[in-house]
Amino acid sequence: MNRNKKPLIIDNLSISYLDKYLKRHAAYQNRVVKPNPYPERGYYYRSDHFNMARQGVPMLFTNGGQDC
């Protein structure tokens, strides 16, 4: 189904209201937004993004992903 679309991996998917904007703009680039397949690794929580999000700054922690 998404075989020709390159994924955009989001470590904090569904945490920020920015998700809907990201999905819309990813579609323009023929990309599909997917959650991090390994959330237990905690990359988002070890990043600077997490500390700013705790202060109320909207954040998206992205990863280019691999081709589908």
Side-chain angles (χ1 to χ4, degrees), residues 3-60:
R3 212 175 260 306
N4 295 325
K5 293 187 176 189
K6 184 171 178 150
L8 183 61
I9 307 300
I10 307 299
D11 282 0
N12 62 321
L13 192 62
S14 301
I15 294 176
S16 171
Y17 72 87
L18 296 173
D19 294 352
K20 64 182 176 182
Y21 300 108
L22 178 67
K23 289 176 182 178
R24 183 182 331 145
H25 291 283
Y28 290 131
Q29 296 179 359
N30 197 34
R31 300 187 81 166
V32 60
V33 174
K34 293 184 174 187
N36 181 348
Y38 308 106
E40 68 278 0
R41 294 182 182 171
Y43 296 131
Y44 175 66
Y45 298 100
R46 295 190 318 235
S47 73
D48 291 338
H49 293 70
F50 180 68
N51 291 322
M52 289 190 287
R54 284 183 20 197
Q55 299 297 319
V57 179
M59 289 288 152
L60 288 170

